[in-house]
Amino acid sequence: MTREYTTTRDIVGPLLLVERVVDVTYGELVELEYPGGVRSLGNVLEVNGDVALVQAFAGTSGANPSETKVRFLGRALEIGVSRDMLGRVFDGLGRPRDGGPEIIPDERRTIYGEPINPTARDFPDDFIQTGVSAIDGLNPLVRGQKLPIFSGAGLPHNELAAQVARQAAVLARSAQADAVGEKLEGEFAVVFAAMGITFADADFFMTEFRNTAAIERAVLFLNLADDPAVERIATPRVALTAAEYLAYTCDMHVLVVLTDMTYYCEALREVSAARKEVPGRRGYPGYLYTDLATIYERAGRIKGAKGSITQVPILTMPDDDKTHPIPDLTGYITEGQIILDRSLNRSGVYPPIAVLPSLSRLKQKGIGAGKTREDHADLSNQLFGAYARGVQAKELAVILGEAALSDSDKAFVAFADAFEARFIQQGQHEDRSIERTLEIGWELMALLPRSELKRIKDAYVEKYLPREGDA
Amino acid sequence: MERGTILKVAGPLVVAVGLERAKMYDLVRVGEQGLMGEIIEMRGDRASIQVYEETEGLGPGMPVESTGAPLSVELGPGMLGAVYDGVQRPLDELERRAGAFLSRGISAPGLDRDKRWEFVPAVAVGARVSGGDIIGTVQENEVIEHRILVPPALAGEIVEFSAGAHTVTDTVAKLRDADGAVHDLTMMQVWPVRMPRPYARKVASGEPLVTGTRVIDTFFPLVKGGVACIPGPFGAGKTVTQHQVAKWSNAQVVIFIGCGERGNEMTDVLMEFPELTDPYSGQPLMKRTVLVANTSNMPVAAREASVYTGITMAEYFRDMGYEVVLQADSTSRWAEAMREISGRLEEMPGDEGFPAYLGTKLAAFYERAGAVECLGSVSVIGSVSPPGGDLSEPVVQNTLRVVKVFWALQDTLAYERHFPAIDWLTSYSLYLERLRPHWDAEVSERYRARRDECMAILQRESNLAEIVRLVGLEALSPEEQILMETAKSIREDFLQQNAFRDDDQFTSLAKQDRLLEMILLFHTTAIEAHRQGAPLRGIFSAPVREKIARAKYGTGDETDIFDEIASDIETQLVGEGGVNA
């Protein structure tokens, strides 16, 4: 049932207040036609008696109160989903952008999804080998996890995200899988959602995907910097609706890259400000946490389902400030964070992952015997501890001079340098196996006095620590 | 059942007209699907309703029906091991009915209506009973005997019992009150969540809530019936600490509220607790646990209700005489839910947009904790997630006014992988004096003194660390250098604890005491040895130090190891390995 009105009263920012409407519901999809034929989609943010508040995805430039046509479509914002989405490029609302035909949908789904029942979730515990030592060795990603990259302007987060998307593989290492020769690796797909990034950044990803033929198993949703800002509010949801279809209907393991969440939040703030809502911190709406959660929590695994959704959202921290509301609230929802560091980047380390503040909350379940290797957890704890101490000793050396350090501190300084140069540092196209990552870790352990290896079980030290002369 | 119609829909808030006779906090059904909601404001003929489900698709003109009763929970056999959402809908039942995703408008009663429980009367016919008295029992599972209580506000004489297998709604007893009216008593009670269950008298308990986590039990202990707060920036280990307490604490019943937190965390609990063994009963932990899960992507209004649902259940088990630990993770999300609803009501905001009544609500919630007469207790551990790790924000500040224990998690400690990342300098516990008689009698008379001495050493360390940072370790006197080493030993060999290592996750109080004893013995012996001429380098490299470092590992009390360490310290520092070599 379509109802068309020309009774717009107010236009404020991206919002229109439409009067004397009947049977309008909350969340309903709206089609707007401005004088001159410009069209935009929108949705109902609030309905009060016969007055509806509509947000226009394409903005309100060109709209006027008397001639703007507002059509209520009687349904929520939906996209058509199908396997044929793979290899295609869409705009931020799911319309083809690559000049190709409309896809023939298998079914239509509203973009808001439904929360996964916590009892239906399966705990993410399959290690994903990204081939990046600083991630695999210390902050491993597991299938069904949401692990954001906290970055800053000018840092190579796109390179890292592309590398992860290219190299990610799930290891079929469980004893059970080995026994029956079963491969855990299902079909793998990448869903890429761009919100407000530049064409150059989007083109980098498309080229990367094309060069490695990854484009065949990728779906791209692009809302670029010059596309309507409010549309960005729908983009991650459109992408996740596609991802859910691929994961739970087509049994694929989907890696969702969302970039840049900062622009998403700014679009949300723009709408909130136009509604004159009481702002929370830094002008962001008080419901930012809930809103972000409805995006991030769509990652996961479901019992009995073969597919899964793993999310790697990227956000640039304004002024590298981790306490800014966007990274802060994201960190509270996601299962850890990979933080990129400017000083590492300046000293030429790629990927410039600040391992100390980075964290993967699910790593305990994803590593160890049967997943990666028995010594993985202890070794990574020790690497963390030793690197932290090395960094501290270095700070001390800056004040007092190298000579003032004790012998053991000197060993830790040497360790920290070697750790950055050999463990963190690697090539953009270097795909390190987890064995190689752990091996490098043990080689570094050899730089420390044996008595300092307190966090590793003796048996592992015996078994894995390279003996003198070995190397 | 009064019917009204929707006037306005704005997110989780719906305004309806035509509900003149409805009362504040009445439960209502909204729209054709009958979505659950609660009246939170009334102006003239307009009632504002917070809806516990997604409101998409609702519009003006749709029906609203008042149930005439406030939001309540069903209390009775069948709660243990269950997983509920914020308004006590059983999530496993919803999954059976609707699949892996939570669709709207589905509902199921909190307690299974068909399951039969074996009711055993505990008093004789003719007994005079009043509210809270136990009239019978049901063996709910191998761990917990469910005690059937006379509902509060009822008193009189039991005139009839019906022992045997019954459902929760069957009449199991009849009670005649003073006016001669006969009441049917069932195994199920219905109680409004926002109203605290009554008790005769609160008492100040001196019994520790043992968690097996060394930094908590020894340095910042909690009593049964106490209240604690864990604030921490993300990644500091708040959730792991809460899980540790849920797993290892010596309470009989654990209520875990996942309030606006991650779905996978609830899954973790759901998958892990049935596998883990309760160290006290030998049965799966899940048998003593009730989960209330309202994850961050579930509707925000139900999040607001979830802490009340949880604490009402906790009070009910308390009334049976059990010791209950309630963990709310995280109260910040609860406060944010309040803020969101308050914003939609267009109330005048207080600090950072939170409603002005934030402090009152927080205090009222924590005050529902406590030990009561008839020996039950509710301990409440609330986690707070301060934005940006800033402890000056309103939720933390309002919480600190009411709690007695503060476990300050520090992200800097977490970066060094010092876990649990509880900062020993800023945390506190106001229960130390209350615990003293218990510690003296049950652990050892030196335990408290050792704890205080270690705290003093840690405090000195932080002062000296400033000097070391400026002029180097060599600037310290030998005794101060020994102190620095001892402080390091306290931090690494005592405070650090690996929640994921089987042989480290739980340490008994007796063993915690012995660990401190060894660390302090090394300290005093080292000072003595140095006075007698032993070089510092030799003292610090004594092989016994590695033994001390590893003493924390193990699942028992390992008394023989400690005796060995004590004699090693003696021989290696002052005996033939040390000064007298």
Side-chain angles (χ1 to χ4, degrees), chain A residues 26 47 49 115 289 328 332 335 361, chain B residues 7 9 57-58 102 235 260 264 386 388:
Chain A
Y26 176 71
V47 48
Y289 176 85
D328 189 51
Y332 275 120
E335 283 130 357
R361 289 167 183 272
Chain B
L7 181 72
V9 188
L58 292 181
L102 289 167
N264 278 331

Side-chain angles (χ1 to χ4, degrees), chain A residues 168-429:
Chain A
V170 176
L171 295 191
R173 293 187 58 105
S174 75
Q176 194 190 354
D178 279 349
V180 291
E182 180 196 354
K183 275 201 170 167
L184 269 176
E185 284 157 83
E187 267 190 287
F188 196 76
V190 175
V191 170
F192 179 83
M195 290 150 286
I197 62 171
T198 60
F199 172 77
D201 286 341
D203 189 58
F204 166 79
F205 278 101
M206 283 196 281
T207 315
E208 280 284 311
F209 289 160
R210 236 178 249 126
N211 289 346
T212 54
I215 192 89
E216 305 297 321
R217 51 186 180 89
V219 192
L220 287 80
F221 294 92
L222 304 182
N223 169 284
L224 301 184
D226 55 353
D227 288 330
V230 179
E231 189 180 294
R232 268 164 225 164
I233 295 174
T235 306
R237 298 186 166 85
V238 168
L240 284 163
T241 305
E244 278 169 2
Y245 175 80
L246 293 175
Y248 304 128
T249 307
C250 305
D251 295 338
M252 304 176 92
H253 296 298
V254 186
L255 177 72
V256 181
V257 179
L258 304 168
T259 180
D260 182 325
M261 289 307 290
T262 304
Y263 297 119
Y264 167 83
C265 296
E266 278 167 6
L268 208 61
R269 177 168 67 176
E270 187 182 331
V271 173
S272 170
R275 292 181 72 180
K276 299 196 169 55
E277 289 173 331
V278 177
R281 289 174 68 217
R282 300 230 187 162
Y284 290 94
Y287 48 79
L288 185 61
Y289 176 85
T290 307
D291 188 274
L292 286 173
T294 58
I295 295 173
Y296 296 141
E297 279 290 334
R298 286 171 83 171
R301 287 169 70 195
I302 291 180
K303 280 180 203 152
K306 289 201 186 88
S308 64
I309 296 182
T310 310
Q311 275 188 26
V312 178
I314 299 173
L315 55 91
T316 47
M317 298 180 281
D319 198 25
D320 295 348
D321 176 11
K322 192 162 70 84
T323 65
H324 185 279
I326 300 171
D328 189 51
L329 295 177
T330 298
Y332 275 120
I333 305 164
T334 55
E335 283 130 357
Q337 67 277 339
I338 302 290
I339 299 186
L340 301 191
D341 180 74
R342 204 167 288 280
S343 65
L344 272 181
N345 189 51
R346 267 199 297 264
S347 42
V349 177
Y350 174 89
I353 295 177
V355 294
L356 296 179
S358 295
L359 168 75
S360 168
R361 289 167 183 272
L362 304 181
K363 79 167 189 190
Q364 299 291 348
K365 312 277 171 161
I367 63 175
K371 308 257 183 197
T372 54
R373 212 168 73 183
E374 54 183 2
D375 57 318
H376 193 161
D378 283 6
L379 177 65
S380 81
N381 265 337
Q382 189 71 64
L383 284 169
F384 267 120
Y387 181 56
R389 195 163 154 200
V391 171
Q392 253 178 15
K394 265 187 177 175
E395 284 168 7
L396 200 65
V398 171
I399 305 172
L400 298 174
E402 191 98 28
L405 296 181
S406 67
D407 288 345
S408 76
D409 276 348
K410 278 180 193 151
F412 278 99
V413 169
F415 168 85
D417 288 336
F419 179 81
E420 285 172 11
R422 291 171 55 198
F423 193 90
I424 304 183
Q425 170 78 45
Q426 70 180 86
Q428 266 188 48
H429 288 267

